[in-house]
Amino acid sequence: MKPSVKYIAVGVLLIGVCLVLFTPIRPKLRAYTGRIISHGSIKLKAAKSIPENTYDWVVTDLNTQTYSYQNAKGKVVFLNLWATWCKPCLEEMPDIQALYDDYADKVSFMLVSEEKFSRVNNFVLKKGYSLPFFIAENKVPEIFSSSTIPTTYIISKQGKIIMAENGAVDWNSDKIRKLLDQLLVE
C-alpha cells in the first residue's frame, strides 16, 4: 500500500510543529520571525520627525527621579528600548557602555525598559553599568513603539530619527561614532 500525498503532508507538518514546539529551535525561530516582522516597520521610522506630543513622555531613572523627554529636545539622542531577559539586548550592552563612556557629555543617552524597577535596578547593580537607565511608567510613544527589542533610535538635534535599528548592533563601531560626530556639529 502506497501512502497518499495527503498523509505525507500531514506527517511533515506534524514533524515541523513538534520541532518548533519541543526543541531549542523555538526561541530562535520566534526571535527571527519577530525581527523580520518588525524590521520593516522600524526602518520606515527613519527620517521621520518626532511628533511634538512625544516630548511629553516621562520616564523614571534608577534614583526614582522623573525625566521628561522634553529635556532631550535640541540634543542628539541615543534611545534604546531593552529588557533584562532579552539576550540580544544584553549582547549589545557592553558596546553601548563603551559608546556612552566617550559621548556621555555630548549625547543624551536613554536606555528604557518597561520592566519593574526592582528587576532593572538589580540587573544594573549586578552588572555595574553606568548607563542612564530609565523605567517607562507609561506607554512608550507611538513613534518609538516596536514589537521587538532591542530597538534603538538615534535622533538629531532637530528631532528627526536618523537611524532606527532592532536586534543587537555593534554600537561602538566607527560608523556609529562618525554618525554621532556628524550630528553633533549640525
Side-chain angles (χ1 to χ4, degrees):
M1 209 191 270
K2 194 174 183 183
S4 74
V5 173
K6 179 179 170 183
Y7 290 120
I8 292 173
V10 169
V12 168
L13 181 64
L14 281 173
I15 290 170
V17 168
C18 288
L19 282 172
V20 170
L21 292 177
F22 304 113
T23 66
I25 197 171
R26 181 180 180 197
K28 291 180 181 179
L29 183 62
R30 189 171 56 202
Y32 289 128
T33 303
R35 274 195 206 139
I36 290 168
I37 291 169
S38 69
H39 185 70
S41 65
I42 293 299
K43 292 294 184 191
L44 291 175
K45 293 180 182 181
K48 287 193 175 181
S49 292
I50 304 297
E52 197 59 38
N53 66 348
T54 303
Y55 293 101
D56 297 335
W57 186 34
V58 176
V59 292
T60 305
D61 69 15
L62 297 184
N63 293 320
T64 66
Q65 300 295 310
T66 58
Y67 178 85
S68 172
Y69 187 70
Q70 180 72 31
N71 296 340
K73 198 171 192 174
K75 298 177 184 176
V76 175
V77 177
F78 182 96
L79 172 64
N80 178 265
L81 305 175
W82 73 287
T84 59
W85 50 263
C86 166
K87 187 173 181 177
C89 300
L90 305 181
E91 288 172 1
E92 69 178 5
M93 201 68 67
D95 291 334
I96 296 172
Q97 179 68 60
L99 190 67
Y100 176 76
D101 290 344
D102 291 339
Y103 285 88
D105 59 336
K106 304 170 198 157
V107 173
S108 181
F109 282 78
M110 294 179 67
L111 283 82
V112 180
S113 176
E114 294 183 273
E115 295 176 282
K116 293 187 184 267
F117 173 87
S118 59
R119 185 169 177 106
V120 174
N121 194 45
N122 289 340
F123 168 82
V124 172
L125 291 172
K126 181 180 174 186
K127 296 294 185 178
Y129 290 119
S130 62
L131 295 160
F133 291 99
F134 298 93
I135 308 298
E137 304 286 342
N138 301 317
K139 187 178 177 198
V140 173
E142 184 65 32
I143 191 77
F144 300 138
S145 68
S146 172
S147 59
T148 302
I149 54 174
T151 297
T152 306
Y153 301 94
I154 295 179
I155 303 159
S156 71
K157 292 177 186 178
Q158 296 77 26
K160 190 173 190 179
I161 297 175
I162 303 301
M163 186 174 199
E165 294 288 336
N166 58 0
V169 173
D170 178 7
W171 292 109
N172 194 30
S173 69
D174 289 338
K175 175 186 169 190
I176 299 301
R177 288 173 173 271
K178 286 178 186 173
L179 174 63
L180 290 177
D181 291 340
Q182 178 186 353
L183 292 173
L184 289 166
V185 296
E186 286 182 351

